[in-house]
Amino acid sequence: MLVSFALIIIVGYLLSRVFESIGVPGLIGMLLAGILLGPSVLNILDEKLLNISSELRELALLIILIRAGLSLNLCDFKKMGMSALFMSFVPAIFEMSASFVLSQYFFGFSVQDAAMTAAILASASPAVIVPRMLKLMKDGYGTNKAIPQLILTSDSIDDVFNIVVFSSFLGLGNGVNISLTQILQIPISILLGISIGLLIGYIFSFVIDRISVTNITLLLLAIGFMLLGIEDSVQDIFPFSGLICTMSTAFMINAQKKETAQRVESQLNTMWSGAQIVLFALVGALVEIKTVHIAGVSALLMIVLVLIIRAIGIYLCLLGSDLNIREKLFCMITGIPKATVQAAIGGIPLAMGFANGSLILSIATIAIMFTAPLGAFLIDRLHPVLLSNDSANITMIEIETVK
């Protein structure tokens, strides 16, 4: 198993660098590394590693959520107003609704399979979005209207929202019929998760100064695993989301101890650079080429249609803002790339033995390989056209003032 683990890291890293050198997100190379090494092609990975892939994906998912919680700033969120609030869930609801209907039409999915597919596809990719928005902030594009900050904040909450909705549908059981009572459990689990997470984070913040940053990072991961275990134990008694509880804990730590939170986030970012290779490669290893071929054209058509619906949702969220049409178009483009969340949760239905699990994973994989490079390309090429360079404008004003 150790040799297989080493192969995943080495081949994943090398292919990611190759793809990055030609302007394609490195995660595509990581995904292809898994497909190449996995059962569908060379079949040289130890089966023991593939058997624990769900646990490794869960670790990656916790890192994503803790990073999201540590990066959220309530003051920035308030400053960006209602647009930021609506952008956090409205586009996802639009896209989920479209995916829910279309997946039943194209693939004949049950209600639950369609709901899970919708939640898997609805998230934009932090792996693609975050570094590009940070670069825009550094270069001064759209900063006067806080456009990169708007996208970073709303996408972070959007990812958490989709993951929680997915886990809620997953918790309803591997069945066809879903009752109204079960659906009502979703908002209850979200509210309980937020409340308990904020309480844990508040208590933790009193002792955090006595603990090293490395140990804080490890404790946050341990708390996350514990909360997920507790969720499984009490799900028959009351609905409770361990995922959103973990994110809320990190959010409260950031609110109480911002400097410490930034240092912890820096460690998690370093950890993520290695974890993402394992995550995307293991997802690739689970992909069945035959199933991808079956999904093929239908999956691509469905993805294009739901992206259009998501873009409409983003546009509606921005109607009351001071953004012009070009800036709104840019925000709509940032909803295209899919990758991180799809890789983290796309294989869960398959691991849990759902009849259409392999097909759902194939749809998620096609979404990653199609939208991640497309979204990255459009953001990189169009941001100078669609956004104003506010740092350049400030410089010109300073020159005119001197004159």
Side-chain angles (χ1 to χ4, degrees), residues 11-12 51 95 109 119 128 147 150-151 164 176 204 219 223 233 263 273 279 285 302 305 321 372-373 378:
V11 178
N51 289 338
E95 185 172 356
F109 281 171
V128 177
I147 294 172
L150 168 67
I151 293 166
V164 171
V176 177
F204 193 22
L219 284 172
I223 289 171
S233 301
R263 293 165 63 192
S273 63
L279 170 64
M302 184 181 79
L305 291 173
S321 69
L378 291 176

Side-chain angles (χ1 to χ4, degrees), residues 126-144:
V128 177
I129 295 297
V130 171
R132 282 168 172 78
M133 293 306 107
L134 293 177
K135 186 175 186 303
L136 292 187
M137 292 165 64
K138 180 181 178 182
D139 295 342
Y141 282 98
T143 51
N144 277 357

Side-chain angles (χ1 to χ4, degrees), residues 24 47 77 80 257 349:
V24 176
E47 189 175 340
F77 194 72
M80 286 179 274
K257 304 286 183 179

Side-chain angles (χ1 to χ4, degrees), residues 158-368:
D158 173 274
D159 289 339
V160 175
F161 174 77
N162 296 329
I163 291 168
V164 171
V165 171
F166 169 80
S167 63
S168 299
F169 280 123
L170 196 67
L172 298 179
N174 190 350
V176 177
N177 298 316
I178 299 176
S179 68
L180 179 60
T181 303
Q182 290 174 312
I183 293 175
L184 291 176
Q185 289 179 358
I186 295 175
I188 296 173
S189 69
I190 293 174
L191 291 174
L192 279 176
I194 292 173
S195 302
I196 296 172
L198 292 176
L199 178 61
I200 293 172
Y202 183 74
I203 295 171
F204 193 22
S205 64
F206 283 103
V207 299
I208 205 170
D209 293 331
R210 306 173 191 173
I211 308 172
S212 69
V213 174
T214 300
N215 287 332
I216 294 171
T217 305
L218 292 174
L219 284 172
L220 278 175
L221 289 171
I223 289 171
F225 283 123
M226 184 177 296
L227 289 170
L228 290 177
I230 292 173
E231 179 184 354
D232 292 337
S233 301
V234 303
Q235 62 181 355
D236 293 332
I237 304 172
F238 66 91
F240 160 74
S241 172
L243 292 172
I244 201 165
C245 189
T246 302
M247 190 275 294
S248 299
T249 300
F251 172 79
M252 178 56 76
I253 290 172
N254 181 42
Q256 297 290 318
K257 304 286 183 179
K258 183 170 290 293
E259 185 177 342
T260 302
Q262 290 174 346
R263 293 165 63 192
V264 173
E265 185 182 3
S266 178
Q267 284 207 348
L268 286 170
N269 290 341
T270 303
M271 191 181 297
W272 176 247
S273 63
Q276 67 174 338
I277 297 176
V278 177
L279 170 64
F280 285 103
L282 286 176
V283 168
L286 293 174
V287 171
E288 297 179 8
I289 299 296
K290 180 175 69 174
T291 310
V292 171
H293 177 70
I294 293 171
V297 177
S298 295
L300 277 175
L301 180 57
M302 184 181 79
I303 291 164
V304 170
L305 291 173
V306 299
L307 285 177
I308 293 171
I309 299 298
R310 182 184 184 93
I312 293 172
I314 293 173
Y315 180 80
L316 292 176
C317 291
L318 299 174
L319 281 179
S321 69
D322 60 348
L323 273 59
N324 60 41
I325 188 64
R326 290 181 293 107
E327 292 162 341
K328 290 175 182 175
L329 178 58
F330 177 79
C331 292
M332 292 160 70
I333 289 171
T334 62
I336 292 176
K338 315 286 183 186
T340 319
V341 175
Q342 288 73 26
I345 64 178
I348 293 178
L350 175 62
M352 292 188 66
F354 281 80
N356 289 309
S358 181
L359 184 54
I360 292 172
L361 175 60
S362 296
I363 295 170
T365 304
I366 291 170
I368 295 171

